Amino acid sequence: MKKASKMLVVLLALVMALTICGCGGSDNSKELVGTWSLDYDMADLLAGEMGDEYADFNAPLVISICFQFNEDKTFSMFGEAESFNANFNTWVDEFVKFSTEMLYTQFQDQQGLGKEDADAVFEESYGSDIETFMRSQIEESVDANALLSEMTTNGKYDTSGNKLYMAADGEEIDKNAYDLFTVSGDSLKLELPSGADQEEILPGLAYPLTLKKTK
């Protein structure tokens, strides 16, 4: 459980790099004013970090990463709480179900015990059946609201032509580091300058990034 918790925190810390890795100016910053979001499925990241025994576990865990650009050229980045909490609860249900079945299989293979007998053995040792124990462990280890708090960051931005410069609070804008942005209706596209490293930011998340305006 601690590995899952750790990786979720690492993910959110890495996602914060979106606000720093490239992202003053001119009046075209008005095009950016508003809240934009993109959905990221964390399943690929978690799949690579949860051990071989979870190789067949592929439940989605989608987070909507939001960027709010303000008229005063400050910004906030945050995870949309309502949808993430719902998605997280569904993911926990699937994780608990998978983990419980995995332990049942281990009891059957190693001790020849069926599910009821396995639960009885587990209850004697841990005070609850396998499913209840697994759920309590992950709920104690991972707090969805705390994870959202970890990823929230604020800063300032500027633009020049189609260049977007961003810096987190306490840092100065570096005009040698920027993203290229294009606003088309309710879509915001972020691209890296020519010659920049085009590797994935996270598994399944790479430039160009397309965000949708939510308000």
Side-chain angles (χ1 to χ4, degrees):
M1 309 308 157
K2 291 183 178 179
K3 177 176 284 189
S5 174
K6 178 181 178 181
M7 288 313 304
L8 289 170
V9 172
V10 168
L11 166 73
L12 298 177
L14 288 173
V15 171
M16 288 176 63
L18 287 170
T19 67
I20 302 169
C21 67
C23 312
S26 63
D27 289 341
N28 65 347
S29 61
K30 294 179 180 179
E31 294 182 296
L32 290 170
V33 172
T35 302
W36 308 80
S37 71
L38 64 84
D39 289 341
Y40 174 62
D41 186 354
M42 301 162 63
D44 287 346
L45 177 71
L46 294 174
E49 299 296 336
M50 295 178 68
D52 293 341
E53 64 271 30
Y54 285 93
D56 294 328
F57 178 70
N58 56 6
L61 178 52
V62 176
I63 183 170
S64 292
I65 305 167
C66 301
F67 291 82
Q68 179 179 316
F69 294 99
N70 304 311
E71 291 184 358
D72 63 358
K73 294 191 176 180
T74 61
F75 76 88
S76 297
M77 189 199 74
F78 55 92
E80 197 282 313
E82 183 175 356
S83 63
F84 181 68
N85 275 285
N87 294 339
F88 179 73
N89 289 336
T90 299
W91 183 86
V92 169
D93 289 342
E94 293 298 319
F95 181 84
V96 169
K97 179 180 177 181
F98 185 95
S99 299
T100 300
E101 290 299 322
M102 181 173 64
L103 285 176
Y104 281 146
T105 299
Q106 290 177 359
F107 272 105
Q108 179 65 49
D109 293 345
Q110 296 173 12
Q111 301 182 39
L113 298 178
K115 293 182 179 181
E116 290 186 6
D117 290 335
D119 276 329
V121 170
F122 218 79
E123 181 119 22
E124 185 175 345
S125 298
Y126 298 102
S128 66
D129 60 30
I130 293 175
E131 181 175 350
T132 302
F133 176 81
M134 296 299 293
R135 185 174 297 277
S136 68
Q137 288 297 295
I138 194 168
E139 288 178 350
E140 290 174 7
S141 300
V142 185
D143 183 332
N145 289 322
L147 295 173
L148 290 172
S149 179
E150 286 284 341
M151 79 168 291
T152 301
T153 190
N154 300 295
K156 55 190 175 182
Y157 74 95
D158 208 343
T159 63
S160 178
N162 69 334
K163 296 178 180 179
L164 171 62
Y165 306 88
M166 300 175 73
D169 279 345
E171 299 185 2
E172 294 300 319
I173 287 176
D174 179 0
K175 292 193 175 180
N176 293 313
Y178 56 88
D179 288 349
L180 301 177
F181 76 96
T182 305
V183 175
S184 178
D186 289 338
S187 290
L188 168 63
K189 185 176 183 180
L190 297 178
E191 300 177 274
L192 292 177
S194 177
D197 188 351
Q198 299 289 332
E199 292 183 2
E200 286 186 321
I201 303 167
L202 295 167
L205 182 64
Y207 282 92
L209 304 173
T210 299
L211 298 87
K212 297 297 182 182
K213 195 167 191 178
T214 59
K215 59 182 178 179

